[in-house]
Amino acid sequence: MKPAPLKRNLGLGLLTMYGVGVMVGAGIYVLVGAVAAEAGVWAPLAFLLAGLIAAPSALSYAELSSRIPEASGEAAYVEKGLNSHLLAVLIGLAIVLAGTVSAAAVLRGGVGYLTALVDIPSEWAIVGIGVALTLVALVGVLESLSLAAIFTVIEVLGLIAVVYAGFTAPPVAVLIDLPEIYWPGVAGAAALAFFAFIGFEDMVNMAEEAKDPTHTVPRAILIALAITTLLYALVSYAAVRAVPVDALASSGRPLVLVWESSFSASPAVLGGIAVIAALNGVLAQIVMAARVLFGLGRREKLLSVFYRAHPRFGTPALATVLLGAGVIGAALALPVSELANVTSTVLLIVFAVVNIALIALKRMQPNAPFRTAVWVPWLGLIGALAALAASFLTGATH
């Protein structure tokens, strides 16, 4: 008996909102301080560099999504481009791992904001929120992404408020006489900031639920990346403009400091928005990783138990429940910085392999519904390897 297919409910608007939501929810509310600790007042430059590193890989993903619009995106790309079933399965499992760990990092960071607003044990908050979001992901992709779209609008408005606060506050003295750029710090910060761009690769795994995926998915990826890069550059500049770097680096809630630099209103509003951003990031990652397991189940007999969609909801039920449990467990066990570093390292390796797969596919089949220049995947490969080297060098110096 052939398994029930996933339901095609997603248009350009919802898919773009999904991408923006998962990227913005991936850590900007907690990463600004960590990036400032590495790059100082040059944190905005680190975010722009991270965006430049991500851009060629995003273009590669856009082309690959038009060539092979499948739920287990990276696994399918690697299998067809490099003709290696084992490597394809390993890459797919790496994406599942990265999605799980990323969602755990965002969940733990969001609960940090929540417990500052509400007197509740963090462990109970992690479990309660994790279970609730898993149930939403289980009910349906349209319901999940519609809720994610609402979350995205709220969190983007929150970031716009932070930008306004940072731009209207009195500037800190250090910006009057800018220090010389410390490039090793900026490079390490860019590798860390790369975590905040995680999300565009998730969008390709929604291809089997997108309407006209060969055209919708590539456009959604590029629009989402452009919106997110602009937001990050503005937010990080507003932060270092309004708050001393040392204060940003030592705070678990850095954007609250930016808010307080200009607004007399309680920062509880921003704290609430940060919690919503975390909910969005966690929901998006659970939805994505479950689709990857679904797609892997189609191509690998050992994982075939996951190749089943719920007959009523049209979602990969078993994969969703497993992912939800994994996210809750990882969030309870590990701190945000370790979770972010693991996710970035895994994804940079995946990006390198995926760009190599596109290089091979371009040689075999030059034409595609959405086509990038021949040099794009090469640039994506170099960028991913450079960021990976920077992250290892930074880790070695700490």
Side-chain angles (χ1 to χ4, degrees), residues 338-359:
E338 284 190 29
L339 290 165
N341 285 332
V342 169
T343 307
S344 293
T345 300
V346 171
L347 281 180
L348 286 168
I349 293 170
V350 170
F351 287 173
V353 176
V354 166
N355 277 297
I356 293 170
L358 180 57
I359 291 168

Side-chain angles (χ1 to χ4, degrees), residues 127-387:
V127 173
I129 292 172
V131 169
L133 292 175
T134 301
L135 290 174
V136 172
L138 191 62
V139 168
V141 70
L142 186 59
E143 292 79 3
S144 298
L145 266 63
S146 295
L147 179 61
I150 296 170
F151 285 166
T152 298
V153 170
I154 294 171
E155 66 189 78
V156 168
L157 289 175
L159 291 179
I160 290 172
V162 168
V163 170
Y164 178 81
F167 274 69
T168 55
V172 294
V174 71
L175 281 185
I176 297 171
D177 185 20
L178 282 173
E180 186 178 345
I181 299 176
Y182 177 61
W183 283 109
V186 171
L192 183 59
F194 186 84
F195 178 78
F197 287 89
I198 289 170
F200 67 81
E201 78 287 350
D202 295 353
M203 299 167 72
V204 302
N205 294 302
M206 309 305 295
E208 290 186 42
E209 290 154 288
K211 302 169 184 174
D212 191 16
T214 57
H215 293 93
T216 300
V217 179
R219 286 185 291 164
I221 289 172
L222 300 182
I223 294 169
L225 184 65
I227 292 171
T228 308
T229 303
L230 177 62
L231 271 175
Y232 289 171
L234 291 173
V235 168
S236 55
Y237 178 77
V240 297
R241 182 187 184 279
V243 180
V245 168
D246 290 345
L248 286 173
S250 61
S251 175
R253 300 183 298 147
L255 296 192
V256 167
L257 300 180
V258 185
W259 176 281
E260 291 175 335
S261 70
S262 185
F263 294 143
S264 58
S266 169
V269 175
L270 184 66
I273 293 172
V275 173
I276 288 173
L279 297 180
N280 198 5
V282 175
L283 178 60
Q285 292 287 1
I286 292 174
V287 168
M288 175 279 300
R291 270 68 188 169
V292 177
L293 272 181
F294 176 87
L296 286 175
R298 175 169 46 210
R299 60 185 0 99
E300 172 52 53
K301 186 178 290 187
L302 292 175
L303 300 171
S304 61
V305 67
F306 297 113
Y307 185 43
R308 291 188 177 92
H310 192 280
R312 179 181 173 188
F313 301 135
T315 58
L318 180 60
T320 300
V321 171
L322 179 66
L323 264 296
V327 167
I328 293 168
L332 289 170
L334 296 170
V336 170
S337 58
E338 284 190 29
L339 290 165
N341 285 332
V342 169
T343 307
S344 293
T345 300
V346 171
L347 281 180
L348 286 168
I349 293 170
V350 170
F351 287 173
V353 176
V354 166
N355 277 297
I356 293 170
L358 180 57
I359 291 168
L361 278 169
K362 277 179 168 292
R363 289 175 177 170
M364 292 185 285
Q365 302 171 359
N367 295 324
F370 177 89
R371 188 171 59 190
T372 61
V374 173
W375 50 264
V376 166
W378 285 101
L379 198 57
L381 173 61
I382 293 168
L385 293 177

Side-chain angles (χ1 to χ4, degrees), residues 68-90:
I68 311 165
E70 293 187 20
S72 56
E74 290 91 346
Y77 308 156
V78 170
E79 183 151 13
K80 294 191 179 179
L82 302 179
N83 195 29
S84 172
H85 176 71
L86 177 60
L87 182 58
V89 172
L90 290 175

